[in-house]
Amino acid sequence: MSNSPELIAAQAQVDAARTRLFGTVGEIKQRLEPRNIAEDAMDRVTTGLTSAAQRGADAARERPYAAAGVAAGIGLFLMRGWIFKRLRRRSKRHATPADAGGLNHDDTQAA
């Protein structure tokens, strides 16, 4: 092999390209690690939720009555099971004997 300046320059370019390639491969390997993917996803979700919460707070400041109405609606929706249980218990407590099965409508007409 001759040690011509063109050959030495070409070899230097090849070595530089190889170094860049291995650096890129190492960076890709690091990005594709499950732990790093999970951290990136959590960062994106956190940023999105923070942004949404900020927009919601700004909207609530602009329209407090509308925000209170929405909050009340959500609260009623979430408490619907408890509310219906209470209403059923109350209606059972105030039931008449006919409602409870004591007297039928047919029995009262026969007497």
Side-chain angles (χ1 to χ4, degrees):
M1 250 200 223
S2 69
N3 289 334
S4 71
E6 293 98 21
L7 186 61
I8 293 172
Q11 187 62 40
Q13 285 179 347
V14 168
D15 290 341
R18 183 178 297 126
T19 302
R20 284 193 311 268
L21 176 66
F22 287 142
T24 303
V25 168
E27 186 179 319
I28 291 171
K29 280 173 100 176
Q30 185 178 6
R31 283 186 185 178
L32 292 178
E33 283 185 24
R35 180 173 23 111
N36 292 338
I37 292 173
E39 285 177 7
D40 288 345
M42 286 301 296
D43 288 344
R44 287 187 186 126
V45 167
T46 303
T47 302
L49 288 176
T50 302
S51 171
Q54 184 64 43
R55 286 193 311 263
D58 292 342
R61 280 188 208 101
E62 290 174 10
R63 293 180 226 114
Y65 294 116
V70 169
I74 291 171
L76 286 171
F77 177 76
L78 294 175
M79 297 287 290
R80 69 188 182 280
W82 182 81
I83 292 170
F84 288 132
K85 263 194 241 180
R86 293 286 178 175
L87 290 175
R88 263 189 248 125
R89 260 192 233 154
R90 187 176 201 182
S91 66
K92 285 180 185 177
R93 236 186 281 149
H94 297 297
T96 62
D99 292 337
L103 293 175
N104 264 338
H105 181 64
D106 297 334
D107 294 339
T108 57
Q109 288 179 354

